[in-house]
């Protein structure tokens, strides 16, 4: 005999839901309207990222300075967005494949796993999907990315479909990422560079002064560490060079 659901149950079944998986192996189903940033504490990616020889995607783990742990990515484009998030001083936490969203859309049950969830220091939450520009223009893919965005924005969070960035900027950030972890450059060398760098001077000038007569390349690591941390800035839309102007922040 068939069992009919009550109207209340049918209504609840149509509520957009989010499933979050935790490191202890448990899974929690949360109505989207009740979802909070705190629900992602101690969570793990919704699905495993596997790297198989010959596969077209380049998946892997990225050692994030922001999280202090590994963050998974499924493509080189995702890794590029992850690098920029790790470099952004406004980003406080990063979650890859943070959840599964299930909702009724135009009479169909749809599910979606976002690529990243960023928690900003301001408390804002940003959901990010990464797609190559040519694929994002495909009407079917564009629609598949649009309905989660509507849910996210109605919830008061930010939504981003990221298709890439300036190639010079990305190369500069990739280079600076080599200095992202504490201990790569001795803290005393970083603090000495911070005390002595002059606002508005060229990188080559700062290196020569810090090198004290030695090879100026030897003074480069602490300056790069300061650029990664955001204590110094320069125009990263242009290739880093000795002519790059350094600006002090804070």
């Amino acid at each position: 005999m068939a069992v009919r659901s009550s109207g209340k149950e049918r209504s609840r079944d149509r509520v957009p839901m989010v499933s979050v998986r935790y490191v202890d192996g448990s899974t929690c189903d949360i109505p989207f309207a009740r979802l909070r940033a705190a629900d992602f504490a101690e969570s793990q990616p919704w699905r495993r990222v596997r790297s198989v020889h010959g596969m077209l995607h380049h998946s892997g783990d990225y050692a994030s300075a922001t999280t202090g742990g590994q963050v998974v990515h499924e493509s080189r484009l995702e890794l590029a967005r992850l690098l920029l998030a790790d470099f952004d001083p406004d980003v406080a936490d990063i979650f890859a494949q943070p959840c599964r969203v299930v909702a009724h859309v135009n009479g169909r049950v749809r599910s979606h796993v976002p690529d990243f969830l960023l928690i900003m220091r301001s408390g804002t939450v940003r959901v990010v999907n990464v797609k190559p520009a040519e694929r994002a223009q495909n009407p079917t893919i564009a629609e598949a990315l649009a309905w989660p965005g509507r849910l996210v924005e109605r919830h008061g969070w930010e939504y981003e479909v990221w298709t890439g960035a300036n190639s010079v900027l990305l190369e500069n950030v990739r280079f600076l990422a080599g200095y992202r972890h504490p201990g790569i450059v001795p803290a005393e060398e970083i603090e000495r560079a911070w005390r002595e760098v002059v606002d508005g001077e060229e990188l080559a000038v700062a290196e020569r002064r810090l090198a004290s007569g030695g090879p100026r390349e030897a003074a480069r690591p602490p300056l790069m560490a300061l650029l990664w941390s955001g204590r110094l800035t320069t125009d990263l839309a242009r290739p880093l060079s000795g002519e790059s102007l350094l600006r002090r922040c804070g």
Side-chain angles (χ1 to χ4, degrees), residues 14 37 52 58 65 72 75-76 81 91 93 114 130 133 135 160-161 178 182-184 189 193 206 222-223 228 236:
R14 299 182 68 86
V52 179
H58 298 268
V72 300
S75 68
R76 287 175 176 166
R81 183 64 185 90
V91 175
D93 214 343
V130 177
R135 294 193 64 202
E160 172 186 310
V161 176
I184 295 294
E189 293 183 17
L223 294 170
W228 172 266
L236 294 178

Side-chain angles (χ1 to χ4, degrees), residues 51 59 111 121 188 210:
S51 181
S59 59
S111 67
R121 298 195 186 281
E188 59 271 19
L210 289 169

Side-chain angles (χ1 to χ4, degrees), residues 229-249:
S229 69
R231 296 172 73 184
L232 291 179
T233 63
T234 192
D235 183 4
L236 294 178
R238 302 175 62 183
L240 274 172
S241 71
E243 298 178 351
S244 297
L245 297 180
L246 302 177
R247 295 292 183 183
R248 295 175 66 93
C249 298

Side-chain angles (χ1 to χ4, degrees), residues 4-19:
R4 295 176 177 268
S5 297
S6 69
K8 183 177 181 180
E9 288 172 335
R10 288 197 300 270
S11 175
R12 185 170 63 245
D13 289 343
R14 299 182 68 86
V15 170
M17 298 292 293
V18 176
S19 298

Side-chain angles (χ1 to χ4, degrees), residues 192 197 201-221 223-224 241-242 246:
R192 173 177 172 254
V197 71
E201 71 180 345
E202 293 184 346
L203 175 61
V205 173
E207 288 177 341
R208 281 195 293 270
R209 188 175 64 259
L210 289 169
S212 303
R216 68 182 181 90
E217 293 81 5
R220 187 167 299 162
L223 294 170
M224 299 301 102
S241 71
L246 302 177

Side-chain angles (χ1 to χ4, degrees), residues 33-185:
R34 292 172 49 194
L35 188 64
R36 301 293 180 265
D39 292 317
F40 296 94
E42 301 299 321
S43 68
Q44 63 176 338
W46 178 255
R47 60 180 176 234
R48 293 180 180 273
V49 175
R50 296 178 179 177
S51 181
V52 179
H53 179 70
M55 69 186 296
L56 296 177
H57 294 291
H58 298 268
S59 59
D61 294 325
Y62 170 77
S64 168
T66 300
T67 68
Q70 301 291 322
V71 182
V72 300
H73 58 87
E74 293 189 308
S75 68
R76 287 175 176 166
L77 193 62
E78 284 190 16
L79 176 58
R81 183 64 185 90
L82 182 51
L83 274 167
L84 293 179
D86 206 30
F87 180 64
D88 187 345
D90 292 332
V91 175
D93 214 343
I94 305 169
F95 298 91
Q97 300 179 23
C99 58
R100 181 184 64 186
V101 182
V102 177
H104 281 75
V105 182
N106 297 327
R108 295 171 53 199
V109 177
R110 305 288 296 272
S111 67
H112 176 73
V113 178
D115 293 318
F116 298 110
L117 183 140
L118 310 179
I119 298 179
M120 317 304 284
R121 298 195 186 281
S122 64
T124 300
V125 178
R126 181 180 303 162
V127 175
V128 180
N129 276 312
V130 177
K131 279 288 180 290
E134 63 276 13
R135 294 193 64 202
Q137 294 172 1
N138 179 291
T140 300
I141 294 175
E143 193 277 333
L145 295 173
W147 70 262
R150 292 191 291 270
L151 284 176
V152 168
E153 290 175 345
R154 283 202 299 267
H155 193 55
W157 289 358
E158 297 178 352
Y159 183 66
E160 172 186 310
V161 176
W162 194 81
T163 59
N166 178 280
S167 60
V168 174
L169 169 65
L170 286 172
E171 286 306 309
N172 284 333
V173 174
R174 285 191 184 99
F175 175 72
L176 293 176
Y179 302 89
R180 68 188 183 275
H181 291 300
I184 295 294
V185 182

